[in-house]
Amino acid sequence: MYVCSMYTSELIKGTLKTIVLTLLKENGRMYGYEITQRVKDLTDGKIQITEGALYPTLHTLEKNGEVGIEEEYMGKRVRKYYTLTEQGQVTAREKINEFADFISTMKFLLDLQPKPGHA
Amino acid sequence: MHNITDEQVDFILEDIKANGVILEDLQNNLLDHICCIIEHEMPEGEDFYRFYRKILPRFFKNSLKEIQEETEILLTFKNYYAMKRTLKISGLASALLTITGATLKTLHLPGAGVTIVLGGLLFSLVFMPLMIALKFKDEEKQVDKWVFTLGFLLAIGASVGIVFKLMHWPFANILMRSSITAFIFVYVPVYYLTRVRRAELRFNTTVNAVLMMACGGMLYALMNLGYSLKLEESLYSANNFTEASKKDLNSASTELFSEEAASDTLKAMRELSRNMQEKIDAIKNDLIAFSEGIPSKKAAGFNVSQLSDPNNTDVINKHFAVSTGELSRQALEESVSAYNKELKAYFPEKEELQIKLEKLQLEKTNLIVVLNALSQVQLQLANNEYSLLLAAR
């Protein structure tokens, strides 16, 4: 129900919000299907966001005031475009910084950084 | 790219609804998403309905409704944390306000009332209802949810009652008494019996039940505190002493007074004094009659120790102090003022005999205090009369 990918869900759980906020930051406004496709393209299919995980996250971000919506009629159906609010911009920055810090900590913890002299 | 028709859009929307998704926002999102998948990913020549059935499981594990449930859980969790934060802040604030209010009240400093009311209301109207909501969410067993809810509701009743009692507001006693009685005799036994059989809760349940019983019992004991009997008796004896002295002085004055020898001034003063005493007797009878709910005639000769409610404040604050009749406080003040004026006219050198009514407490108090004050005025009238008669000899 979360994020489907070649990675285990434990590994990716908790990053969905960061992914969505970052994509919106870079692309301006996006709709749900577009977000899933962009993630799939950018990661060569390694990370595929499932719809079951995406929409609850988008709704939460909307309720928190981190994303705003613009509705457009596509014939008989309504398309909701999501955009970052000012608060969302701040959250996006915080999330990216937090994640970057997490990665460097994990690199250190798991001893993944090439050590000088080993090269 | 497949061009989706309006009928197909309607079909998808109806199917989403039939699958239990009722949030309109989510319905629109899913509809657009499914349409996008069909438009971009359906191979040429593929049957729409077959393809739709094939892609639908991408959205869930067991049923489409899971997306809605997941959304609701995420949104509720946000409220849950906000509620917990409000609970902590309101709990801390109400504790600080109550302690500050109680300290101010003990030291008779200003601001005690408003602080204690804020603390009490924050506790009973914010903290406690949040506790009910959170316990309802956290407790797994249905019986525990209801038992805790009962306890918190009774605690709300008791704390509102205590605040009302402290502020002398109406319905304080009924709120306090009923809540605390139900808390001790219903809630604590129910709490104990529903939890004591569970081995993991037995010790805590026993300790909590004893603590609640002890606290509730102490509050119960405090509830009926009024004036001590000794204080009431001392007020009665003071009143009886004043009444007896007044009678003695009046008798002594009657013996001293001689119609033939007395000057016109003295005669006029004596009559004024007797009239005033009679008027005050009538006021006292009226107050007793009002408080006891009996006719004024029956109230005459009523000893203060026979009063069923000597601490009655309504008779003073809602009757004596506010009415405008002949037996009101206003009428008494006018009579005393007239008496003082006459006294000054006849005996300008006797400044010390003036009755200073403003020094007596005749409002915002109870019946027995006002009856005592009125007897004091009568005693001074008798004393004035006697001293004037004595001086004239």
Side-chain angles (χ1 to χ4, degrees), chain A residues 2-7 12 16 36-37 39-41 43-51 53, chain B residues 58:
Chain A
Y2 288 96
V3 183
C4 172
S5 65
M6 63 173 282
Y7 303 115
I12 307 176
L16 186 55
T36 57
Q37 293 310 106
V39 172
K40 194 175 156 190
D41 291 347
T43 61
D44 284 336
K46 284 180 179 175
I47 296 176
Q48 289 181 38
I49 299 175
T50 64
E51 293 75 6
Chain B
R58 278 165 57 168

Side-chain angles (χ1 to χ4, degrees), chain A residues 1-2 31-33 36-37 50-52 55-57 59-60 62-64 76-80 82, chain B residues 6 10 25-26 29 31-33 35-37 39-41 58-59 61 66-67 70-71 74-75 78:
Chain A
M1 183 84 185
Y2 288 96
Y31 58 97
Y33 179 75
T36 57
Q37 293 310 106
T50 64
E51 293 75 6
Y55 288 107
T57 303
H59 274 256
T60 316
E62 188 189 334
K63 285 275 174 193
N64 291 353
K76 277 195 91 173
R77 66 185 203 254
V78 185
R79 175 165 294 168
K80 279 170 81 174
Y82 293 90
Chain B
D6 285 354
D10 288 339
D25 268 0
L26 197 57
N29 271 332
L31 174 65
D32 184 50
H33 199 107
C35 291
C36 284
I37 293 174
E39 283 169 349
H40 292 96
E41 300 175 22
R58 278 165 57 168
F59 290 77
K61 268 186 188 160
E66 285 166 16
I67 298 185
E70 183 77 11
T71 309
L74 284 174
L75 295 178
K78 184 180 177 284

Side-chain angles (χ1 to χ4, degrees), chain A residues 67-79:
Chain A
V67 298
I69 53 160
E70 290 167 18
E71 291 186 340
E72 256 177 41
Y73 277 86
M74 313 284 294
K76 277 195 91 173
R77 66 185 203 254
V78 185
R79 175 165 294 168

